[in-house]
Amino acid sequence: MFTSEVNATNQKQYVVEATADDFSYTLDFPDRAGEAAAGASPTTMLLVALAGCHLMTAASYFERQQWDNEGLSIQVRGTFNDVAGEWQVDTQVTLTVKATLTEEQKQGLYDYIKRYCRVGSILENGKNTVDLTITVEA
C-alpha cells in the first residue's frame, strides 16, 4: 500500500499552487485570456507523472541488472478525448535506451515497466491506453 498527500490552494483565476512531499508545483490553465501561463495544466502534469514513473521504473530495472542507466530518455504524448461525456486519455510513450539490448532484455524491460509503473497501471485500469514503445540506440 502507498499513501500520498497533496495540498493546494487557488492563487488567482486558474493558477493553483500545490505542495507534495515538500516540493512546490504551479498549475495553470494555459488558455487563460491574454495572460502568460504560470505552469503546466493538470492534464499535462498527468503526463509528467507518467513520464517520471516510466523513467524511474526503467532506471530501477537497469539498477537490478547492474546496467548503466545514464542513457534513458522518454517522450510522452497524450490525446484527451471526451467520449460520451467521459474523459479518456490515450498515451504514446517512447522510451529511448542508449545501450545494447537483446530482444529478450528489451522484453524484460517492457514487462518490468508494465508491472511496476504505478501511474501507467492506474491509467490503463479502465478506458485509457498507455502504448509503450522501447527504442534502443546503441
Side-chain angles (χ1 to χ4, degrees):
M1 183 169 91
F2 175 78
T3 302
S4 187
E5 182 176 316
V6 174
N7 294 296
T9 57
N10 190 58
Q11 299 298 306
K12 64 178 184 175
Q13 196 167 0
Y14 296 106
V15 178
V16 172
E17 293 294 331
T19 304
D21 299 329
D22 296 325
F23 292 95
S24 297
Y25 303 92
T26 302
L27 291 86
D28 195 1
F29 179 66
D31 293 334
R32 292 186 300 136
E35 292 194 38
S41 71
T43 49
T44 299
M45 290 298 287
L46 183 65
L47 300 180
V48 169
L50 184 62
C53 186
H54 274 76
L55 276 175
M56 289 178 189
T57 305
S60 171
Y61 184 78
F62 270 58
E63 185 176 304
R64 287 176 167 263
Q65 301 299 320
Q66 298 181 340
W67 298 339
D68 177 21
N69 66 13
E70 294 294 318
L72 298 173
S73 62
I74 201 158
Q75 178 186 41
V76 177
R77 176 163 294 157
T79 303
F80 295 85
N81 300 298
D82 183 352
V83 179
E86 291 185 15
W87 282 99
Q88 298 174 6
V89 62
D90 295 316
T91 58
Q92 294 77 43
V93 179
T94 303
L95 173 66
T96 301
V97 177
K98 292 188 179 176
T100 302
L101 299 180
T102 66
E103 284 303 314
E104 184 178 320
Q105 290 169 326
K106 187 175 164 182
Q107 185 63 48
L109 173 59
Y110 180 90
D111 293 343
Y112 189 85
I113 292 170
K114 286 296 191 174
R115 168 67 178 94
Y116 292 105
C117 175
R118 290 181 190 147
V119 176
S121 292
I122 290 166
L123 286 176
E124 284 186 310
N125 198 6
K127 299 176 183 176
N128 304 303
T129 61
V130 178
D131 181 22
L132 171 62
T133 302
I134 298 175
T135 303
V136 175
E137 293 179 358

